[in-house]
């Protein structure tokens, strides 16, 4: 297990104390903000504690829940919250034409490589200013390296963090907010885990998690096609002089030879006045693709880490693409590590790993 030292900081990022916890849960996630929970003796608690920092993990936690417990003569505080990635959801990607926002971006959509689009949305909405109020996330931006798939995304009112995850996920990418302890600064950056599959051409050591090799325990594999859809119709309805008019677009994601698709009907509220005809068609297609992205075949693999096998954060880390072999059910796949759920209690460390919907290897 990698070491873990936790430091409590106040609202100004000044050190309050070094925490000697009795129970810690550190839940790292790849395509959404993670969370944490730390239990400390009451004598270590201070109302000034706002953040939990550790040099041993990339995340920093913001305390949003405080739970005082006195049980069997023992008093403790349970501090819980989320990681800084969640701070982006303080702001929304407000629709084009929100007239009282004085620093509103002039663009309706962004297109290009996913990473470049993600940075454009972050820079466009990290600060919101009106005539009477303003809000700044206080997070600086890194620099795009132009990675990822081609992406087109419109301003549809989502939370900023959710929007950026939505942009990056199809490219296997994510974002994080790193805290610079020395300079007391927070920085947004797009990143991607390493390719550790046997077939990778990047020179990384391959990682194979398999019941065959005995390096995983307690596997839990879920294959769920209940909500699967591969086609949808997006309908845009608008009323002019009490007369409704409709525009519909059909979006298909069927693979060659696939003889069955199901329709997922979606309603669009895009204002046609904001788009040319071709832009509106592209916007509706984009809404359909985003909707279908939430209706995929789900293959979720969970298992517990085994100490003495691969070393966490040295041989592999969250976001890495690995090989998964479960011969008992004929599963051979490449999957990205999207969740690392650590528990440290009574000097013992355990971790459950979660792999997202993988690319099945046909043999």
């Amino acid at each position: 297990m990698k070491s873990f030292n936790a430091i409590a900081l106040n609202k100004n990022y000044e050190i309050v104390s070094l925490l000697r916890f009795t129970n810690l849960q550190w839940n790292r996630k790849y395509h959404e903000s993670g969370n944490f929970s730390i239990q400390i003796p009451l004598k270590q608690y201070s109302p000034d504690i706002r953040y939990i920092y550790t040099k041993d993990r990339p995340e920093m936690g913001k305390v949003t829940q405080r739970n005082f417990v006195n049980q069997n003569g023992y008093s403790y505080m349970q501090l819980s919250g989320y990681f800084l990635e969640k701070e982006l959801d303080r702001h929304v990607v407000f629709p084009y034409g929100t007239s009282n926002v004085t620093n509103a971006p002039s663009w309706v959509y962004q297109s290009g490589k996913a990473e470049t689009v993600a940075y454009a949305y972050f820079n466009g909405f990290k600060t919101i200013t009106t005539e009477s109020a303003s809000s700044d996330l206080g997070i600086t931006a890194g620099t795009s390296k132009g990675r990822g798939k081609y992406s087109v995304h419109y301003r549809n009112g989502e939370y900023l963090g959710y929007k950026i995850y939505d942009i990056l996920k199809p490219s296997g990418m994510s974002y994080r907010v790193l805290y610079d302890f020395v300079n007391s600064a927070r920085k947004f950056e797009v990143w991607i885990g390493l390719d550790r599959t046997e077939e990778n051409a990047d020179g990384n050591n391959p990682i194979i998690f398999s019941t065959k090799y005995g390096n995983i325990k307690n596997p839990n594999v879920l294959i769920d096609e209940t909500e699967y859809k591969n086609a949808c119709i997006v309908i845009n309805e608008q009323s002019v002089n009490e007369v409704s008019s409709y525009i519909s677009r059909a979006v298909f994601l069927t693979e060659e030879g696939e003889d069955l698709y199901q329709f997922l009907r979606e309603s669009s509220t895009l204002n046609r006045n904001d788009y040319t005809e071709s832009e509106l068609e592209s916007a509706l297609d984009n809404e359909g693709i985003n909707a279908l992205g939430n209706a995929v075949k789900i293959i979720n693999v969970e298992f517990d880490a085994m100490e003495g096998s691969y070393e966490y954060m040295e041989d592999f880390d969250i976001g890495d693409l690995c090989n998964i072999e479960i011969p008992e059910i004929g599963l051979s796949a490449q999957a990205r590590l999207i969740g690392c759920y650590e528990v440290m209690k009574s000097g013992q460390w355990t971790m459950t790993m979660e792999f997202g919907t993988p690319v099945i290897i046909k043999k």
Side-chain angles (χ1 to χ4, degrees), residues 220-225 297-302 329 331 358:
N220 183 352
V221 181
L222 171 67
I223 302 175
D224 186 357
E225 301 180 16
K297 297 177 182 178
I298 297 173
I299 303 179
N300 190 269
V301 182
E302 293 185 3
I329 58 172
L331 178 64

Side-chain angles (χ1 to χ4, degrees), residues 19-313:
L19 300 178
R20 302 189 182 280
F21 54 84
T22 55
N23 190 334
L24 174 71
Q25 298 176 41
W26 200 260
N27 300 319
R28 306 177 67 201
K29 300 181 181 182
Y30 191 60
H31 292 307
E32 60 182 293
S33 171
N35 53 71
F36 71 95
S37 179
I38 184 169
Q39 184 183 110
I40 59 175
L42 182 61
K43 62 182 180 181
Q44 291 191 37
Y45 173 70
S46 167
D48 293 333
I49 296 176
R50 291 292 182 275
Y51 298 96
I52 305 299
Y53 167 78
T54 174
K55 63 178 178 60
D56 301 311
R57 300 292 184 272
E59 304 80 21
M60 184 165 83
K62 181 175 181 177
V63 177
T64 60
Q65 295 182 0
R66 304 159 189 268
N67 185 17
F68 166 64
V69 179
N70 187 315
Q71 191 174 50
N72 299 324
Y74 174 66
S75 297
Y76 65 87
M77 289 293 296
Q78 191 84 28
L79 305 177
S80 306
Y82 53 72
F83 298 143
L84 290 184
E85 287 74 24
K86 184 67 174 176
E87 287 284 88
L88 270 63
D89 284 342
R90 286 169 41 200
H91 287 186
V92 297
V93 179
F94 49 85
Y96 181 77
T98 306
S99 59
N100 66 327
V101 179
T102 57
N103 69 323
S106 60
W107 42 268
V108 177
Y109 68 92
Q110 287 287 318
S111 62
K113 294 292 187 178
E115 181 175 13
T116 302
V117 173
Y119 273 106
Y121 270 91
F122 176 77
N123 288 318
F125 297 94
K126 66 179 180 179
T127 302
I128 297 176
T129 304
T130 68
E131 294 86 348
S132 59
S134 65
S135 175
D136 191 317
L137 295 177
I139 303 171
T140 61
T143 304
S144 173
K145 299 177 182 178
R147 297 171 294 182
K149 298 179 180 179
Y150 182 78
S151 178
V152 181
H153 279 267
Y154 291 78
R155 294 166 53 173
N156 296 336
E158 300 96 332
Y159 287 116
L160 178 57
Y162 177 89
K163 182 70 171 181
I164 294 178
Y165 279 127
D166 193 37
I167 294 168
L168 297 173
K169 186 174 181 179
S171 297
M173 304 172 74
S174 185
Y175 78 85
R176 55 191 172 191
V177 177
L178 299 176
Y179 178 68
D180 181 344
F181 184 80
V182 175
N183 298 303
S184 190
R186 299 180 296 174
K187 182 180 179 181
F188 167 90
E189 70 171 25
V190 173
W191 69 294
I192 185 170
L194 299 176
D195 185 343
R196 295 190 180 279
T197 61
E198 290 184 288
E199 298 79 9
N200 86 79
D202 299 328
N204 303 313
N205 292 329
I207 297 294
I208 305 173
F209 291 107
S210 175
T211 54
K212 177 181 179 180
Y213 301 138
N215 59 11
I216 63 175
K217 60 182 178 180
N218 303 326
N220 183 352
V221 181
L222 171 67
I223 302 175
D224 186 357
E225 301 180 16
T226 306
E227 301 298 327
Y228 171 66
K229 306 288 188 298
N230 57 23
C232 69
I233 294 179
V234 183
I235 299 175
N236 180 267
E237 176 185 2
Q238 293 202 7
S239 179
V240 179
N241 297 326
E242 299 183 353
V243 177
S244 295
S245 62
Y246 301 86
I247 295 176
S248 64
R249 294 282 295 177
V251 181
F252 298 88
L253 296 181
T254 55
E255 298 179 1
E256 184 178 355
E258 192 170 0
D259 59 359
L260 175 66
Y261 59 81
Q262 301 168 350
F263 284 101
L264 172 67
R265 192 170 293 272
E266 287 288 319
S267 177
S268 169
T269 58
L270 296 174
N271 187 340
R272 296 181 203 168
N273 294 328
D274 295 334
Y275 304 87
T276 65
E277 182 177 351
S278 61
E279 287 176 340
L280 180 61
E281 290 179 353
S282 296
L284 293 176
D285 288 348
N286 186 71
E287 288 197 354
I289 291 172
N290 288 343
L292 290 170
N294 296 321
V296 298
K297 297 177 182 178
I298 297 173
I299 303 179
N300 190 269
V301 182
E302 293 185 3
F303 49 77
D304 295 335
M306 292 185 66
E307 294 192 76
S309 179
Y310 299 120
E311 185 70 20
Y312 177 46
M313 297 187 68

